[in-house]
Amino acid sequence: MSIDMAQFHQVFFEESFEGLDIMESGLLNMDPGTVDPEDINTVFRAAHSIKGGSGTFGFEDIASFTHVMETLLDEMRDGRRSVNTETVDVLLQSVDTLRELLSAARDGGEADEARVNAQKAALERVLNDAPESPADDTEDINGTAAQPVPREEPRTIGWHIVFRPHPHMMQTGNDPLRIIRELASLGESTIEADTHGLPSFQVYEPEQSYLSWDIRLRGEIPRTAVDEIFEWVEDDCDLAVMPILDELPDAHVQQESVNPSEQIRSQPVAESAKNDDSTAKGESPVGSGTNKATGKRKSAAGGSTGSIRVDIGKIDALINMVGELVITQSMLGMLGEDFDMSRVDRLQDGLAQLERHTRELQESVMQIRMLPISFTFSRFPRLVHDLSTKLGKKVELKLTGEHTEVDKTVIEKIGDPLVHLVRNSLDHGLETPEERIAAGKQETGSVELNAFHRGGNIIIEVRDDGRGLDKDRLLKKGIEKGLVAENNGLSDKQIYDLIFAPGFSTAEKVSDVSGRGVGMDVVRKNIMELGGSIEIDSEPGKGSAIIIRLPLTLAILDGQTVAVGDETYIVPLTSIIESIQIRPDMVNLVAGRGETFKLRDEYLPIVRLHDVLKVENARAKELTEGLLVVVEGEGRRCGLFVDDLRGQQQVVIKSLEANYGKVMGISGATILGDGSVALILDIPGLMRQAFDGDPLTSPDWRLSA
Amino acid sequence: MASILAVDDSASMRQMVSFTLKGAGYEVVEAADGVEALNIAKSRSVNLVITDVNMPNMDGITLIKELRGLPNYKFTPLLMLTTESSPEKKQQGKAAGATGWIVKPFNPEQLISTIKRVLG
């Protein structure tokens, strides 16, 4: 029977990665001194499952690594080893190594062998530290350990077996009959039952065994094959297994002198179980089975597609919706069979219904891509634990809104920026315990990660109650680096925003935790790529907050269609503040700054879309002929000059990058109802392009105060 | 058709065991832990139980002890799936009433041949 083990790999990987998370959070819960035994148990079980699965599915390296972890956890579980920080840390690092091993196995790659071995050695060091290191930790789960297997006599031509079940044997679910039948299948056999043990009928208990057997097996049968059959019952019977030797014509002499109960027991069952039993059957199913599994591993990994777990409720909603859609479709179909104008009302009703169902279906499908942000947040307890130890700071991490759902792409891309921000908070934001006490604060600092919905956006905040941003130092540094002029009159917020400038790092000492100077600008870039924005709020001595705003979904966008010449463009609704018709007296021509217009108390630059996007046949050339769409992006505003506004509609975003190439100022494309293609404007990008250069040094920067 | 109750908290192991046994013509009922398994075993009869040892809620050894105490399971083969080939674990299992054990890792062929040994 051949079964392709590769089909179980994906489930195995999924549950193993979940197991790693369980192990991690369990380990993080273990405070030396007050350890909940259930925590240890949970961690142990997770390790145990990974070990069992990896061995079964052919990942020996993972199995042998996990085995060492499991041994250590087992000692902790049995109370043979106390839980201390060192042990927990080594286990946490091992979880990382295991994650690496699993990822490598899943993706068909190779884990860093040196690192794995080093980590294994670290585990073994901890294990060997214990005076009461258990003897059984040498067990090799691959079953390849050199076990003392009794050598077969070269001249053995069979086995003489005396088998006397104990009375209770059948109550263990073992049946002497089956055992004998199996023995007989090994070779030519002569079996004699010994009925001496049978009691008289009056005292006979039907649930007990009274018989014993004398069995002679002939053939080239390895001892292990015989042992294996008796493996489970060795304590439930008297058993003697003696070789029948080729040159002894009469084995009786030997046999009769033996009292079965004095015979050496067959070797410990575990060993015989592990010693390749397939040889007993004269075929090699084990070998071929394993090879098959390993052979398939690569192909399975290569073809692995990203999968997401979807709440069953969402699927039900979807199925429900499709059902509605089918009903509407058949209704419309019937209507179309003999249609005349008298039925036009019903047609319109049907179409309205179709539209509603399509929209609901679309929303339901979008819901599938939504995952709780806890997928991202879950890595932070560990991160904060490790970092605070390293930095010698006391930190309490608070997570709120973990169930807030965000698009899967956001989950994938927001992780690294958030890690960077949390690191910054710990490294630069929070003070040491001494500094905090001196400042009259609690010794333990707090870092909060919050996620919530607000008005069509997802807000993710990273807050700390540390020292806050040092405005003077930021400003000094900004001037030093030539990012801002002296006496520039920047607002607090604009000074804070300096940390997002490329190459700007405020850490006096570059530590290995953060402050490599490549940080915040990359963070901002990543968030902008997700269509979001980032801002900072800070109060000296009280702490800082970084607020990230992201669109609810990345696949659909609420857009305003605008016309420029023959072209139609989409402006994301979230970036539009208002649209105005301009009067000549509002416009100012400022030297070196191009056209600006005065909107209430502000002067905003004008971006002529037909100029920037090189549209030849724009109808509105004079500012008074068209409309100004006032847009905002990255804290800057400008007026986009367009011919006309069309409707507002939801558009499905198609990647321009994937289908064509990256275009400055354009974030994607969509297909309109009439089949034509419209480009979606990337407002921040457009402004960067229009004002040509670094937003911090461009002249308009200071205008939009 | 003989029926088998497969108990394991790991979905991949359960899937593998179940798939293998179904392929060999057995009817398979699955349970994710001892409590679930015990409820199933009480509500219907099965010809063999194969259970993992380490599980939340109720472990495999307790499950075996509970099952062996039920009149319907007095002679039913109860097998444990274990990675722990240490003699103590097996002794514990035997003392609880286990028929035998299968040491992980195992492959489908080993599983079938072992099952056949007690469910002939």
Side-chain angles (χ1 to χ4, degrees):
Chain A
M1 163 170 207
S2 84
I3 284 177
D4 180 5
M5 292 291 241
Q7 64 184 308
F8 308 114
H9 285 178
Q10 196 180 349
V11 180
F12 164 69
F13 285 126
E14 273 173 23
E15 83 188 0
S16 295
F17 282 110
E18 270 167 35
L20 286 179
D21 293 342
I22 290 169
M23 287 169 78
E24 193 163 64
S25 69
L27 286 167
L28 288 171
N29 262 348
M30 287 182 200
D31 272 327
T34 55
V35 179
D36 183 351
E38 193 43 41
D39 273 339
I40 304 183
N41 246 327
T42 309
V43 176
F44 173 83
R45 271 200 306 269
H48 181 79
S49 288
I50 294 176
K51 175 177 129 178
S54 51
T56 304
F57 300 124
F59 305 111
E60 268 82 21
D61 50 343
I62 299 174
S64 79
F65 183 83
T66 324
H67 173 67
V68 190
M69 290 179 82
E70 191 198 18
T71 310
L72 183 56
L73 285 162
D74 195 27
E75 288 183 12
M76 289 161 73
R77 185 172 69 147
D78 293 355
R80 274 177 290 164
R81 174 182 292 280
S82 63
V83 179
N84 59 35
T85 324
E86 190 208 350
T87 320
V88 171
D89 281 348
V90 169
L91 283 168
L92 276 171
Q93 286 155 17
S94 304
V95 169
D96 293 342
T97 310
L98 196 51
R99 185 170 283 130
E100 197 179 319
L101 277 165
L102 277 162
S103 307
R106 181 190 56 195
D107 306 333
E110 296 272 323
D112 183 345
E113 202 179 324
R115 255 233 307 284
V116 173
N117 286 337
Q119 188 58 35
K120 205 166 166 181
L123 275 170
E124 276 157 356
R125 240 183 347 265
V126 175
L127 267 174
N128 293 333
D129 272 352
E132 68 274 76
S133 177
D136 66 343
D137 67 353
T138 51
E139 172 211 354
D140 185 318
I141 64 113
N142 294 329
T144 50
Q147 300 279 5
V149 179
R151 291 236 156 258
E152 269 176 58
E153 288 293 324
R155 288 164 294 128
T156 300
I157 54 156
W159 300 95
H160 177 205
I161 300 155
V162 180
F163 172 43
R164 184 176 301 155
H166 293 164
H168 70 271
M169 180 189 270
M170 290 197 283
Q171 283 159 43
T172 66
N174 282 298
D175 186 341
L177 182 64
R178 290 212 181 85
I179 291 171
I180 292 167
R181 199 169 58 201
E182 201 167 346
L183 276 175
S185 74
L186 291 179
E188 186 194 326
S189 60
T190 359
I191 301 161
E192 277 174 47
D194 180 351
T195 55
H196 282 100
L198 274 177
S200 71
F201 195 68
Q202 284 79 10
V203 292
Y204 182 87
E205 289 279 347
E207 295 184 355
Q208 307 235 319
S209 326
Y210 299 101
L211 296 175
S212 57
W213 287 270
D214 187 301
I215 303 150
R216 278 153 197 281
L217 270 179
R218 288 180 189 270
E220 273 200 42
I221 301 156
R223 166 76 187 238
T224 50
V226 177
D227 286 340
E228 196 202 334
I229 291 172
F230 289 105
E231 182 189 343
W232 294 343
V233 293
E234 60 155 4
D235 292 334
D236 303 313
C237 67
D238 293 322
L239 180 69
V241 181
M242 296 151 288
I244 300 172
L245 299 178
D246 196 13
E247 274 143 9
L248 280 176
D250 190 348
H252 275 274
V253 185
Q254 194 192 4
Q255 172 240 326
E256 271 160 13
S257 65
V258 179
N259 177 345
S261 54
E262 279 171 18
Q263 269 288 319
I264 307 158
R265 289 255 177 261
S266 51
Q267 62 197 327
V269 284
E271 292 157 20
S272 54
K274 285 189 297 183
N275 287 316
D276 193 352
D277 69 337
S278 63
T279 49
K281 310 260 158 63
E283 48 185 303
S284 61
V286 178
S288 63
T290 323
N291 287 342
K292 194 166 175 76
T294 358
K296 287 274 176 168
R297 193 198 309 180
K298 285 249 159 59
S299 63
S304 93
T305 45
S307 68
I308 54 176
R309 293 195 165 204
V310 181
D311 186 74
I312 200 87
K314 290 180 179 177
I315 306 255
D316 287 344
L318 206 57
I319 291 168
N320 206 0
M321 218 63 74
V322 172
E324 295 285 331
L325 208 56
V326 170
I327 294 169
T328 312
Q329 182 259 324
S330 69
M331 191 264 269
L332 285 171
M334 274 165 65
L335 199 63
E337 267 172 26
D338 52 343
F339 184 75
D340 61 62
M341 285 313 284
S342 69
R343 297 187 181 204
V344 76
D345 284 351
R346 288 187 56 199
L347 177 68
Q348 267 161 0
D349 283 353
L351 288 174
Q353 213 173 79
L354 186 66
E355 190 196 332
R356 195 171 67 244
H357 291 322
T358 311
R359 196 174 52 242
E360 281 169 4
L361 184 64
Q362 184 189 37
E363 275 162 18
S364 308
V365 173
M366 287 302 147
Q367 275 298 311
I368 288 187
R369 283 185 63 88
M370 303 297 270
L371 295 172
I373 191 116
S374 57
F375 278 88
T376 305
F377 278 8
S378 59
R379 71 164 102 164
F380 287 98
R382 171 70 191 281
L383 183 91
V384 170
H385 167 91
D386 287 1
L387 265 184
S388 55
T389 317
K390 204 164 176 179
L391 294 166
K393 294 180 180 176
K394 291 194 173 173
V395 188
E396 190 193 353
L397 176 72
K398 285 182 210 146
L399 303 174
T400 57
E402 290 145 285
H403 300 299
T404 309
E405 294 201 323
V406 297
D407 194 276
K408 183 171 176 276
T409 317
V410 172
I411 296 275
E412 282 161 2
K413 299 224 170 117
I414 200 72
D416 289 343
L418 278 182
V419 166
H420 195 89
L421 294 174
V422 170
R423 283 184 169 189
N424 266 342
S425 280
L426 259 79
D427 198 13
H428 306 316
L430 293 182
E431 312 89 333
T432 60
E434 300 79 43
E435 284 170 333
R436 290 185 66 91
I437 291 168
K441 290 180 174 179
Q442 280 193 327
E443 194 185 7
T444 306
S446 119
V447 172
E448 283 178 45
L449 268 173
N450 307 323
F452 51 91
H453 288 268
R454 186 191 285 156
N457 284 306
I458 310 276
I459 314 283
I460 303 171
E461 293 179 334
V462 182
R463 288 185 179 274
D464 66 61
D465 68 345
R467 54 171 78 94
L469 287 175
D470 185 341
K471 248 188 327 195
D472 297 338
R473 219 172 71 209
L474 286 174
L475 198 55
K476 206 172 120 219
K477 187 117 178 218
I479 294 166
E480 256 172 43
K481 299 230 166 194
L483 294 169
V484 284
E486 278 183 74
N487 307 321
N488 42 47
L490 290 185
S491 70
D492 285 2
K493 205 167 138 26
Q494 283 169 325
I495 297 173
Y496 295 147
D497 280 348
L498 282 172
I499 65 168
F500 293 121
F504 193 95
S505 174
T506 58
E508 271 158 5
K509 258 191 316 202
V510 171
S511 69
D512 66 342
V513 176
S514 57
R516 284 178 215 85
V518 290
M520 293 301 269
D521 58 320
V522 178
V523 168
R524 185 172 66 165
K525 193 169 146 279
N526 287 350
I527 285 164
M528 273 163 28
E529 276 170 11
L530 289 171
S533 66
I534 182 166
E535 58 183 271
I536 301 186
D537 202 7
S538 181
E539 201 174 330
K542 293 267 176 69
S544 312
I546 310 248
I547 297 130
I548 297 168
R549 201 177 305 260
L550 293 166
L552 210 50
T553 173
L554 302 175
I556 291 220
L557 171 128
D558 277 313
Q560 168 74 55
T561 42
V562 300
V564 180
D566 295 338
E567 301 292 329
T568 305
Y569 295 99
I570 312 283
V571 184
L573 219 50
T574 47
S575 52
I576 298 180
I577 300 167
E578 60 189 308
S579 299
I580 53 168
Q581 209 153 20
I582 204 160
R583 295 186 311 273
D585 63 296
M586 290 164 77
V587 182
N588 277 315
L589 211 59
V590 182
R593 286 181 195 167
E595 292 171 305
T596 65
F597 70 104
K598 192 175 181 203
L599 180 68
R600 291 176 276 279
D601 297 332
E602 245 178 305
Y603 284 97
L604 299 179
I606 294 173
V607 176
R608 288 172 178 254
L609 215 51
H610 62 93
D611 277 351
V612 183
L613 299 172
K614 314 247 176 341
V615 182
E616 308 262 306
N617 52 0
R619 276 178 281 113
K621 303 277 190 207
E622 291 303 317
L623 287 174
T624 45
E625 289 170 8
L627 284 171
L628 271 185
V629 183
V630 184
V631 291
E632 183 181 44
E634 295 174 12
R636 293 194 286 168
R637 292 181 191 180
C638 74
L640 282 185
F641 181 59
V642 300
D643 285 359
D644 203 0
L645 295 184
R646 296 273 163 80
Q648 291 180 3
Q649 67 178 94
Q650 284 202 324
V651 296
V652 179
I653 303 172
K654 307 271 180 195
S655 166
L656 206 57
E657 220 165 321
N659 298 308
Y660 171 68
K662 200 170 167 60
V663 181
M664 257 314 262
I666 304 294
S667 63
T670 191
I671 297 165
L672 297 174
D674 63 0
S676 64
V677 174
L679 297 176
I680 302 165
L681 299 182
D682 165 22
I683 300 299
L686 205 63
M687 279 197 260
R688 277 199 298 276
Q689 189 191 5
F691 308 134
D692 188 34
D694 188 335
L696 281 172
T697 50
S698 71
D700 62 286
W701 177 252
R702 266 154 269 164
L703 263 176
S704 62
Chain B
M1 183 167 59
S3 59
I4 298 175
L5 174 58
V7 195
D8 202 314
D9 57 332
S10 149
S12 63
M13 286 303 287
R14 218 162 52 226
Q15 238 182 49
M16 192 276 248
V17 167
S18 169
F19 185 89
T20 305
L21 295 178
K22 280 179 185 158
Y26 296 106
E27 181 198 346
V28 185
V29 196
E30 295 180 28
D33 62 39
V35 175
E36 203 182 318
L38 194 58
N39 285 334
I40 292 173
K42 281 176 181 167
S43 68
R44 56 161 295 169
S45 78
V46 295
N47 303 107
L48 182 143
V49 179
I50 178 162
T51 176
D52 188 26
V53 174
N54 288 286
M55 293 180 296
N57 302 326
M58 183 192 284
D59 67 19
I61 301 220
T62 316
L63 172 66
I64 286 170
K65 201 178 286 168
E66 293 282 331
L67 283 174
R68 198 54 92 202
L70 299 174
N72 283 346
Y73 290 88
K74 208 165 178 181
F75 303 106
T76 308
L78 307 176
L79 303 181
M80 354 186 246
L81 270 177
T82 174
T83 50
E84 285 153 288
S85 46
S86 64
E88 306 98 79
K89 219 22 164 214
K90 288 171 184 165
Q91 277 317 310
Q92 261 183 353
K94 290 278 330 185
T99 304
W101 50 83
I102 301 173
V103 179
K104 291 195 245 182
F106 58 90
N107 61 36
E109 290 82 3
Q110 287 168 317
L111 179 66
I112 299 278
S113 74
T114 313
I115 297 276
K116 278 195 179 138
R117 202 200 295 181
V118 285
L119 207 62

